[in-house]
Amino acid sequence: MRVPLSWLREYVDLPATETGRDVQAKLVSAGLEVETVEHLGADLKGPLVVGQVLTIEELEGFKKPIRFCTVDVGQANGTGEPQEIVCGARNFAVGDKVVVVLPGATLPGGFSISARKTYGKTSHGMICSGDELGMGDDGSHGIIVLPPETEVGKDAIELLELVDEVLDIAVTANRGDCLSIRGVARETAIAYGLPLRDPALLDVPGPNAFGYPVQVSDPFGCDRFTARTVSGLSPEARSPIWLQRRLQKVGMRPISLAVDVTNYVMMELGQPLHAYDRSLVQGTIGVRRAEEGEKIVTLDGATRTLHAEDLVITDDRGPIGLAGVMGGANTEIADHESSEGTTDIVIEAAHFNAVSIARTARRHKLSSEASKRFERGVDPQAASAAAQRTVDLLVLLAGGTAEAGVTEVIAPSAPHTVTVAADHPDRVAGVEYGRETVVRRLQEVGCDVYGQDELIVTVPSWRPDLQEINDLAEEVIRLEGYENLPSTLPKPPSGRGLTHRQRLHRRVGRTLAGAGYVEAPNYPFVSEQVFDQLGLAADDPARRVVKLTNPLNDEEPALRTSLLPGLLGALRRNDGRGSHDLALFETGLVFLPRAEQRAAAALPVDRRPTDEEIAELNAALPEQPRHVAVVLAGSREQAGWWGAGRPGGWADAVEAGRAVAREAGAELVVRQGQYGPWHPGRCAEFVVVSDGSETVVGHAGELHPRVLKALGLPARTSAMELNLDVLESVGDDTPRAPSISTFPVATQDVALVVPREVPHAEVETALREGAGELLEAIRLFDVYENDEQLGEGRKSLAYALRFRAADRTLTVDEASAARDAAVALAGERTGAVLRG
């Protein structure tokens, strides 16, 4: 919401010395988020005056039309002689009043004006457009043409109100009252302790039988409808400069007088209005739900098919407007340039149900200034005042006549009342405000308050967000100042803190970050097409997904069963933006549907649900294990003066899985595997053993070229994904201090020749078991393949074995015996033989 300070001062007598920054500080302290204060005309310097075009000479021989003009600027140029100006615009004629900037002036953006020769003539200044003065577009897309009665030589800076300050306020969804100058003025008056001149306090005639006929068939959707009629409007009447400028300052474009007046009143009072050309409305105006499949052409020219829940305005022909969202084209007000302008109009000021308007706006993807206000809450009591204000302005500016008929259709309702303890805000804030302060603050926001220890509070009509006692407590606290609340750290009972799962989650994140991975959280929504792109089998359990009934994006209606789609999408976006060396990780939940689908029961809100009710709710939810995944592409180590770099690959993905398992205290078996998106020859399968049974907990390796092509990923992209919950359940991450032996280590190297299809993991497992308790560590340090030396289809695996005893120094014979036992068992299980 953009709020010009000059407009705000009409309703609150702010001190003359107060600047936009001062008002911003006050409103922020009161809880309104004022994002910026825009200083209009801050770098504008005159002379900028009104001139009248005397002559226009068309200059020939140039690529674009150029005109040489003489303009009367009165005595503003010091001589009284006509000012010679070169201009390329075409939307003005001889006799028009225009805005002229003279040499010596400075326009917004620091553009200095001086006499200069151009197109063979000397131009002494400029004839200005709205954009050049920082006003924005006025709809003409050209030079500003002023009303004929404007005085020549008058200061245009003052005339066009070019110098002002505009506060840009980010209004939260619960404060619809602040989507108006009236609402912000009320907050400003409270912040400064000044009286408010409420623009909605108008003398409004009561309803009578002579008003335009209106029939409301859905009082729930529309609980108030006011209709007024103005006739005899001048079709040539245009919006005055002051009204156009105020609309431009709040971010709206002037269109025509009738439309500008309704927009002006909406911004002033917060009540959306609509004006119908009375000659185009046929019969009674009605409010009802649409019939399924009905159509309407809205003011934006789009033909829209209506839903049965849409609330519509109708006449005898059918829908003439989407209630609270946008009017229909068949009753549109003609602009002042039309050959047959509108002379009689019907003004609608209604109050619609917020949820109904919000659903219609989203269903038709049609957000308007009106719908934004109805969604957030509009003051129903302001409808008649807004209609009266519109009538008054039209009569004043267009010479119309307000007809005596007044239509008001009102559904019976009672004001909302809340009973609250006088000390409730004290207990919420931990500050002793006292009853007098609580009552005073609630009265300042417009509440009627009665009672002593227990207060009966009647909420004002413009604050529909005040529904219960904590809403009232928040009003007291924010007006007393959030900054005045004491800072008190909570004192949890001893022994509380992060859960085991939370601690593991954080350790895993720190470990991967320390290994050079960057965390990249993603939305948990996926398209089912991504499973085809990942190459998953038709019967893969990961294809069974939980679908959302109201997805944020229709193209991603399902919850993820894997972290890889989101991570690979993030890698693709970053690679496309020029970051080619990437290593990303994410820890998060995946969602697996249960075998038995059941609907969750609605839990009570007037008490704590029982343990049985909570258990029943949890049983209806999908299983949500926590996974961890990494993706990497490009260089893992950069080249430099220190040596050659190294590309990331499948080994890095496997090592990331091992690092996660170490943090969980789980023993991870790594062996060759084959699954979905991974290259069958470069895929590792992660297995844990619990109670004698093996469980596959994840995979790592290089992705298949078909997957890379389908997803648009860089060559040699690698990935890893693990089920973190399973690792946590089988692991023991109790911290253990490293054992430091005083006895020396004995190292034995062995090179074993095995068939090429034998996995290294099987050979290592056999060596580890055969070596016995003396083996401290084993490491594969070389893989060699050469058919001429080793034989066809064979490879050499070289291991370094470290032996150590806890109570003595090992002899050479003991170490050799342990090595020979290891080699023997490896030969027995895998057919390995010592090389050479």
Side-chain angles (χ1 to χ4, degrees):
M1 176 67 190
R2 290 170 57 85
V3 180
L5 192 58
S6 59
W7 200 349
L8 196 62
R9 288 182 183 275
E10 282 198 8
Y11 311 128
V12 184
D13 288 327
L14 295 172
T17 57
E18 287 294 284
T19 66
R21 293 290 184 190
D22 299 327
V23 177
Q24 177 189 30
K26 286 283 190 178
L27 293 180
V28 168
S29 179
L32 291 184
E33 185 181 351
V34 183
E35 294 187 324
T36 59
V37 177
E38 183 179 351
H39 297 270
L40 302 181
D43 51 357
L44 176 65
K45 185 179 72 172
L48 187 73
V49 298
V50 176
Q52 183 172 22
V53 180
L54 300 178
T55 65
I56 298 176
E57 177 188 351
E58 299 289 345
L59 301 182
E60 304 294 339
F62 300 101
K63 293 182 178 179
K64 62 179 181 178
I66 297 296
R67 310 166 100 187
F68 180 66
C69 311
T70 59
V71 185
D72 177 14
V73 295
Q75 297 298 319
N77 57 4
T79 65
E81 296 294 325
Q83 201 79 1
E84 296 179 338
I85 299 174
V86 175
C87 183
R90 314 292 297 176
N91 69 311
F92 64 95
V94 172
D96 283 346
K97 303 288 181 66
V98 294
V99 178
V100 179
V101 56
L102 300 177
T106 303
L107 294 182
F111 182 52
S112 298
I113 302 300
S114 61
R116 65 189 183 96
K117 191 168 183 179
T118 178
Y119 296 101
K121 300 285 186 178
T122 300
S123 183
H124 299 273
M126 285 175 53
I127 302 176
C128 297
S129 68
D131 287 335
E132 289 165 339
L133 297 179
M135 297 169 52
D137 180 26
D138 62 354
S140 66
H141 304 288
I143 293 302
I144 301 170
V145 178
L146 300 171
E149 64 272 14
T150 311
E151 179 186 351
V152 171
K154 183 178 179 63
D155 183 3
I157 295 179
E158 179 182 351
L159 174 69
L160 299 177
E161 302 177 14
L162 296 178
V163 178
D164 203 349
E165 293 181 274
V166 179
L167 285 68
D168 194 350
I169 303 175
V171 179
T172 53
N174 65 319
R175 291 303 305 272
D177 61 305
C178 288
L179 286 174
S180 66
I181 303 296
R182 178 196 185 199
V184 176
R186 181 180 291 106
E187 291 296 315
T188 305
I190 295 172
Y192 278 91
L194 296 171
L196 168 72
R197 288 188 293 275
D198 191 343
L201 295 180
L202 301 174
D203 290 331
V204 180
N208 53 53
F210 310 108
Y212 197 93
V214 174
Q215 181 178 1
V216 177
S217 302
D218 190 337
F220 175 79
C222 176
D223 57 9
R224 182 181 291 262
F225 195 106
T226 299
R228 300 290 298 276
T229 307
V230 181
S231 59
L233 298 176
S234 171
E236 293 79 23
R238 296 179 58 187
S239 301
I241 293 173
W242 64 265
L243 188 132
Q244 292 188 46
R245 288 297 294 132
R246 286 195 169 176
L247 289 177
Q248 287 173 330
K249 289 177 183 179
V250 297
M252 303 191 76
R253 182 173 66 85
I255 299 173
S256 64
L257 177 59
V259 175
D260 292 349
V261 166
T262 57
N263 285 336
Y264 177 86
V265 175
M266 176 180 67
M267 302 308 296
E268 182 180 55
L269 302 182
Q271 168 67 51
L273 301 110
H274 190 70
Y276 301 94
D277 188 327
R278 184 176 182 177
S279 65
L280 300 178
V281 179
Q282 299 180 9
T284 300
I285 291 179
V287 183
R288 61 169 172 82
R289 297 290 172 175
E291 297 177 7
E292 189 71 34
E294 272 189 303
K295 296 185 183 297
I296 183 175
V297 179
T298 47
L299 288 174
D300 58 358
T303 300
R304 303 183 184 276
T305 302
L306 301 178
H307 187 276
E309 292 185 2
D310 291 334
L311 196 66
V312 293
I313 311 297
T314 66
D315 65 3
D316 291 349
R317 295 166 297 178
I320 60 173
L322 269 177
V325 180
M326 185 174 286
N330 54 355
T331 56
E332 182 179 6
I333 299 290
D335 61 32
H336 62 84
E337 297 179 355
S338 173
S339 59
E340 297 181 2
T342 299
T343 58
D344 300 340
I345 68 172
V346 178
I347 300 163
E348 166 207 311
H351 184 262
F352 301 110
N353 178 266
V355 174
S356 175
I357 301 304
R359 287 177 176 172
T360 295
R362 283 157 179 74
R363 187 180 298 117
H364 295 282
K365 297 181 174 61
L366 185 62
S367 178
S368 64
E369 291 291 339
S371 68
K372 284 192 294 187
R373 284 162 175 78
F374 280 122
E375 289 174 17
R376 291 160 174 78
V378 169
D379 181 5
Q381 302 294 334
S384 56
Q388 182 64 45
R389 176 73 164 138
T390 305
V391 169
D392 292 343
L393 287 172
L394 288 173
V395 170
L396 174 67
L397 301 176
T401 300
E403 296 191 1
V406 177
T407 303
E408 280 196 5
V409 179
I410 302 175
S413 63
H416 182 60
T417 301
V418 180
T419 301
V420 58
D423 63 346
H424 182 70
D426 302 17
R427 289 185 277 115
V428 172
V431 176
E432 188 174 345
Y433 294 122
R435 179 188 176 279
E436 290 186 3
T437 298
V438 171
V439 171
R440 175 172 56 85
R441 289 302 192 185
L442 291 178
Q443 289 175 338
E444 284 178 346
V445 299
C447 298
D448 290 331
V449 185
Y450 302 96
Q452 292 298 318
D453 294 339
E454 188 172 76
L455 304 178
I456 300 174
V457 181
T458 302
V459 174
S461 58
W462 57 82
R463 291 299 302 274
D465 58 306
L466 303 182
Q467 292 293 317
E468 48 103 12
I469 58 175
N470 287 325
D471 296 331
L472 301 178
E474 183 182 4
E475 290 299 295
V476 175
I477 296 168
R478 76 175 180 88
L479 294 178
E480 284 295 304
Y482 291 120
E483 68 276 11
N484 297 322
L485 293 176
S487 178
T488 306
L489 292 176
K491 297 179 180 179
S494 60
R496 300 287 178 88
L498 298 176
T499 65
H500 181 271
R501 190 186 196 200
Q502 291 170 330
R503 289 195 299 270
L504 175 60
H505 180 201
R506 294 192 178 189
R507 288 203 313 273
V508 167
R510 286 195 295 266
T511 297
L512 293 176
Y517 292 87
V518 177
E519 188 170 15
N522 295 281
Y523 288 119
F525 312 117
V526 296
S527 164
E528 293 183 87
Q529 294 178 348
V530 77
F531 301 124
D532 296 328
Q533 296 171 323
L534 290 176
L536 299 185
D539 58 348
D540 194 297
R543 285 182 175 270
R544 293 187 64 243
V545 295
V546 177
K547 290 188 178 180
L548 301 172
T549 57
N550 57 339
L552 295 180
N553 184 349
D554 292 338
E555 295 181 358
E556 295 180 336
L559 292 174
R560 65 189 178 190
T561 56
S562 167
L563 301 182
L564 290 184
L567 268 182
L568 292 174
L571 185 140
R572 180 180 62 250
R573 286 191 297 273
N574 282 275
D575 181 73
R577 287 168 172 78
S579 298
H580 303 302
D581 301 326
L582 296 163
L584 309 177
F585 84 92
E586 180 181 7
T587 56
L589 302 179
V590 299
F591 305 86
L592 309 177
R594 298 180 185 272
E596 179 186 354
Q597 300 286 340
R598 67 172 79 175
L603 296 182
V605 295
D606 57 341
R607 59 175 174 82
R608 182 190 182 280
T610 64
D611 293 341
E612 291 77 13
E613 289 172 330
I614 295 175
E616 184 179 353
L617 174 65
N618 289 332
L621 297 176
E623 296 181 19
Q624 302 174 50
R626 183 175 295 276
H627 281 204
V628 57
V630 306
V631 294
L632 62 156
S635 296
R636 194 77 174 104
E637 297 175 3
Q638 295 290 338
W641 58 265
W642 52 84
R646 182 178 68 83
W650 63 267
D652 296 288
V654 172
E655 179 55 31
R658 286 196 172 106
V660 170
R662 285 194 294 270
E663 286 299 327
E667 184 175 347
L668 199 64
V669 178
V670 181
R671 64 191 184 196
Q672 185 175 1
Q674 182 174 344
Y675 178 69
W678 282 278
H679 193 295
R682 297 167 187 164
C683 174
E685 182 179 76
F686 293 140
V687 176
V688 294
V689 180
S690 177
D691 298 329
S693 61
E694 293 185 346
T695 302
V696 177
V697 294
H699 296 83
E702 184 179 310
L703 297 182
H704 198 286
R706 285 197 298 269
V707 174
L708 302 182
K709 182 178 180 180
L711 294 175
L713 298 172
R716 300 293 187 184
T717 297
S718 298
M720 178 277 295
E721 183 167 14
L722 272 172
N723 188 323
L724 198 54
D725 283 358
V726 175
L727 286 181
E728 178 189 4
S729 65
V730 302
D732 180 9
D733 58 354
T734 304
R736 292 182 175 83
S739 57
I740 302 175
S741 175
T742 58
F743 298 101
V745 66
T747 301
Q748 297 273 353
D749 293 343
V750 295
L752 303 178
V753 177
V754 297
R756 194 170 294 171
E757 65 274 8
V758 175
H760 139 70
E762 293 184 13
V763 179
E764 180 181 314
T765 301
L767 289 173
R768 191 183 299 276
E769 293 181 14
E773 296 180 355
L774 295 179
L775 181 67
E776 182 181 78
I778 180 172
R779 178 175 62 88
L780 175 69
F781 65 86
D782 184 52
V783 178
Y784 178 70
E785 295 180 3
N786 189 310
D787 291 345
E788 293 183 3
Q789 296 185 15
L790 303 176
E792 185 175 354
R794 302 181 71 79
K795 62 182 177 182
S796 171
L797 303 176
Y799 295 88
L801 309 177
R802 291 168 56 91
F803 298 98
R804 195 195 313 256
D807 56 352
R808 67 188 187 281
T809 299
L810 291 178
T811 64
V812 174
D813 292 340
E814 288 178 308
S816 298
R819 179 202 63 193
D820 293 341
V823 171
L825 186 57
E828 179 181 336
R829 290 188 178 178
T830 67
V833 296
L834 280 173
R835 180 180 169 189

